Structure formats: C-alpha cells, structure tokens
Amino acid sequence: MTTAAVALPGDPPGGRRAAAVWGIGVAVYFVAVIFRTSLGVAGLDAADRFDVNASALSTFSILQLLVYAGMQIPVGLMVDRLGTKKVLTLGVVLFTVGQLGFALSPSYGTALASRALLGCGDAMTFISVLRLGSRWFPARRGPLIGQVAALFGMAGNLVSTIFIARALHGLGWTATFAGSAVAGLVVLVLLLLFLKDHPEGHEPAPAQRAGRSFVRRQIAESWREPGTRLGLWVHFTTQFPAMVFLLLWGMPFLVEAQGLSRATAGELLTLVVLCNMALGLVYGQLIARHHAARTPLVLGTVAATALLWATTLAYPGGPAPMWLLITLCTVLGACGPASMIGFDFARPANPPERQGTASGIVNMGGFVASMTTLLAVGVLLDATGGDYRIAFASVFVLQALGISQILRLRNRTARRERDHLVASRVETVHVPA
C-alpha cells in the first residue's frame, strides 16, 4: 500500500483580483471607523452643543457600543446565511444615515438615536470583512489579512484625529459631520458595482434552512469550542484600554487632567493610531510564522498596558511628564493588534460555515469591555468631581477578570487545536485499495 497527501479542497487562490475585491470591503470598514471614532475628537464640542455632563456624554459612546456589541452574534449569523455583500450594503446605509442624522440633530435625544443607528451599521462591517478575506485568500494568510484589515480601520481613526478635529474648528459641527457622510455614499456605490462574495469555483456549500434550530446550533457549536471562548476573552482584555482612550476619554484626560493643549493632545491620540498601524503588521507577521507566539503576545501586551496606566495615574507631583505620556500612547497602540489575536484562536476552532458566528462572538468581547469602562469612567468622574486617577482605575478591574479567563482557557484550547490538526492530517491521507 502507498500513501499520498492531497491538498485541502476549496482553498482560495488569492491574487490581485482577491486584493481588489477585498479592498472594497476594507474601504467600507475604513469609513465605518471614521464615523465611529469621530465623536472621540468631538467630545468636548458635543458636551457644549447638547449641554450635558460627563455621564450623559459617555452615554453617546456607550449606546453606540451597546448596539454594536449586541449586534455581533446576529450579524455573524446574517453573514453566514446571507453572504457578505448583502450585509455590508445594509451596514453602509445604516451608518451613513446615522452620521448624517448626528450632524443635523437638534437635541440630545435625536443625537443619541443617530449614534445608535450608526452603531448598528458599524456592527455589520468588520465581521463581513473577515469573512470576505477568508473567502478570497488562502487560510494561511488569515492572521495577516485580519491585521491588515484592522490597520485600515486604524487609518480611519487617524482621519478622525487629524481631519475631523480640524474641520470641527474650521467648518463647524453640521458641515463637518454632514460632509463626512458623503464618504458613505461613495463606498456604497463601489460595493454595489464591484464586490463579490467569493471567487468563481469557490462557492460555499448551500446554507441550511433558516429557523430557530439553525440559530441555536450555530451559536451553541461555536461557543462549545474553547478557542471561540478564549478568543472572546482575548478581545475583551486587550482592546478596551485603547478603545476607551480613543473613542471618548483620551482627549478630556490629556486636556483636563494633564494640562495639555488640544493640539498636543490630538498629536498623542494620533501617536496611538500610528503605533497601532505599525504594530499590526508586526503582530500579523509574527503570528503567521510562529503560531505559538499568540498567547505570549497577548499577555505581554496586557502587562505592559497595565504597568504604563498605573505609572501614569500614580505619578507623584501633578501631571505626568511628556515622555511618560508618549510611552503610554505607544503601548496603547499595541492593544488593537493584540485584540486581533482573538480571531486567530477562534478561526482554526470553527469550520467555514461557522466563521461569521464565531467571529461575532469574539468581536463582542472587546466592545462589551469598552462599553463597561466608558460608563464606569463617566460615573466615577461625576462622583469624584473629575478625579481621573480614580475613574481610570476601573481599567485594572476588567484586565484582571480577562487575564483570569485567558489563563483558564489557554491549555484547553491548545489541546483542542492539536486534536483538530491530527484529525485534518488523517483526512488528507488517501490509502488506495
């Protein structure tokens, strides 16, 4: 008897066509992140425009993230059932209408409703882009493709910190937010004209009939995998410190607690984004070449973030020196790339037909943590009369919770991955009669 290894069927070829189609999906995500993070540089302006305190201001971002997090599993199910193009199209329409509504809102209530609509549309983008990448590129490219998608998302954040901030002070509230909504119309046209769910010859298996049993089975089978749960806790623990800083509280902290000008504070926020983009490529290459580096990168990033936060908040004698703030922002830049590692735990644990659902579960983690911290910081600031040291100490509570779950699940996930690897090798061996 002889044995012969065969290639895994259905692995997409990648190439220029794949990059072009996937690039359209990434462009949609890029615009969604601009809209999502535009409030981060407009927090003080929003407080003045709607005459609200810190708790009410934080409600903008909390509601947006609440909708985003709550939509992750439904969106994952939609992507698995309907495909990428339909879900992305709906997402673009929703977040564009939400951004335009925020520009024209005459009151706090209508502005809240607009941010909720924006969060709903935003929730449909990243999972769709991840699935689009898995349909157009070989599986071995998965970690790098995910990090590059996140890199373009951070480029959207960079647009917010540089251009939206300047436009606010030059053009005013309505012109800035209404003008930015045009970007949503542009990507909608590109999406409708050129995006395809998958390359020819790589069509997915026909979807099963919809119904409650399908939904329950998708969620239960995804959650049953320890890799999915570990991915959620990795995302939960790593993403939120930078998200909270960029989305809302970084600018007020640097201006009010550290005594910096808005221009200098904006430069530090930009540094977080630039470090995120640079480190995303480094993390993606490391994980693609050394799969075992995932957990050390996660734990190291969390430890460094906690250390820098503690040092900054506990610095004696008033505001922290600039070198320390620069170091803090540099380390915060690693939080986004580290959070992407969560998807690299869930991806090998689930078959293609569950990738959307599993990614939705993972993606929910970081946004639940961000939403919780945004609320905690706002409430503690109001309760303590603006004491940022006490308010930002809430970061350590969530980090401790997340680390305990990562340590609990990492060995179980490693064993399960080894079992999957052995099973796949057995399936690819053909023994002729």
Side-chain angles (χ1 to χ4, degrees):
M1 293 189 296
T2 61
T3 62
V6 297
L8 288 173
D11 209 21
R16 293 182 179 179
R17 175 90 189 281
V21 173
W22 179 74
I24 296 172
V26 169
V28 172
Y29 178 56
F30 171 78
V31 173
V33 174
I34 294 176
F35 292 0
R36 178 201 306 170
T37 57
S38 57
L39 183 61
V41 295
L44 297 176
D45 299 85
D48 292 337
R49 179 179 176 86
F50 300 111
D51 191 24
V52 294
N53 61 15
S55 296
L57 181 61
S58 66
T59 303
F60 277 122
S61 296
I62 291 167
L63 178 62
Q64 182 179 333
L65 292 183
L66 178 64
V67 173
Y68 187 105
M71 285 292 294
Q72 289 309 292
I73 293 178
V75 167
L77 292 164
M78 289 171 62
V79 169
D80 286 337
R81 283 285 304 162
L82 303 177
T84 302
K85 186 170 185 174
K86 291 180 181 179
V87 177
L88 273 182
T89 300
L90 178 59
V92 173
V93 171
L94 290 176
F95 70 59
T96 302
V97 172
Q99 184 78 341
L100 183 60
F102 194 57
L104 304 176
S105 292
S107 66
Y108 178 68
T110 54
L112 274 179
S114 297
R115 295 307 285 187
L117 194 63
L118 192 156
C120 186
D122 182 19
M124 299 181 181
T125 58
F126 189 63
I127 293 174
S128 297
V129 171
L130 287 179
R131 186 181 187 272
L132 193 66
S134 69
R135 291 297 187 188
W136 281 89
F137 291 95
R140 67 180 183 277
R141 300 291 187 188
L144 184 59
I145 290 298
Q147 290 288 356
V148 172
L151 185 151
F152 278 96
M154 292 311 298
N157 201 329
L158 189 62
V159 170
S160 290
T161 58
I162 295 177
F163 297 106
I164 298 292
R166 292 179 180 176
L168 274 170
H169 297 291
L171 301 175
W173 180 279
T174 301
T176 297
F177 284 101
S180 66
V182 174
L185 298 178
V186 173
V187 294
L188 178 60
V189 171
L190 293 174
L191 169 64
L192 292 174
L193 292 179
F194 301 112
L195 190 135
K196 291 187 64 176
D197 281 350
H198 48 75
E200 295 180 5
H202 293 272
E203 293 80 2
Q208 301 180 41
R209 294 183 63 85
R212 293 182 180 179
S213 61
F214 168 79
V215 172
R216 286 196 299 266
R217 184 170 60 253
Q218 285 286 96
I219 296 174
E221 291 179 355
S222 297
W223 184 256
R224 191 175 296 122
E225 292 290 343
T228 304
R229 283 174 280 145
L230 178 59
L232 179 145
W233 285 108
V234 166
H235 203 264
F236 177 99
T237 312
T238 53
Q239 188 203 46
F240 79 93
M243 177 68 73
V244 168
F245 198 78
L246 291 170
L247 197 60
L248 183 61
W249 291 121
M251 180 70 78
F253 169 72
L254 293 171
V255 173
E256 297 177 353
Q258 301 301 316
L260 302 180
S261 67
R262 285 196 178 198
T264 303
E267 290 172 357
L268 288 175
L269 293 178
T270 302
L271 176 63
V272 177
V273 177
L274 291 174
C275 290
N276 188 304
M277 296 171 69
L279 290 171
L281 293 176
V282 175
Y283 277 38
Q285 290 284 4
L286 280 174
I287 296 167
R289 297 177 181 179
H290 308 286
H291 217 48
R294 291 174 300 171
T295 301
L297 282 174
V298 168
L299 297 178
T301 301
V302 175
T305 304
L307 176 62
L308 266 297
W309 263 123
T311 304
T312 302
L313 296 178
Y315 193 85
M322 181 57 67
W323 66 264
L324 182 55
L325 294 175
I326 291 174
T327 306
L328 170 65
C329 290
T330 301
V331 172
L332 285 175
C335 291
S339 72
M340 291 298 300
I341 298 175
F343 297 100
D344 294 318
F345 283 111
R347 188 182 298 110
N350 293 275
E353 62 270 18
R354 288 207 309 264
Q355 288 295 321
T357 305
S359 295
I361 293 172
V362 172
N363 208 30
M364 186 171 60
F367 290 93
V368 168
S370 298
M371 177 180 60
T372 303
T373 309
L374 284 167
L375 176 61
V377 170
V379 170
L380 289 171
L381 283 174
D382 286 338
T384 60
D387 191 329
Y388 280 91
R389 290 187 176 186
I390 295 176
F392 275 124
S394 57
V395 169
F396 305 122
V397 178
L398 272 71
Q399 284 183 321
L401 172 62
I403 284 293
S404 67
Q405 296 301 312
I406 291 171
L407 295 177
R408 182 177 69 86
L409 289 166
R410 61 175 181 169
N411 290 333
R412 194 180 311 174
T413 300
R415 289 195 298 270
R416 184 71 168 165
E417 284 187 355
R418 286 195 295 269
D419 292 342
H420 281 312
L421 182 61
V422 170
S424 66
R425 286 175 175 172
V426 170
E427 290 176 357
T428 57
V429 174
H430 172 64
V431 183

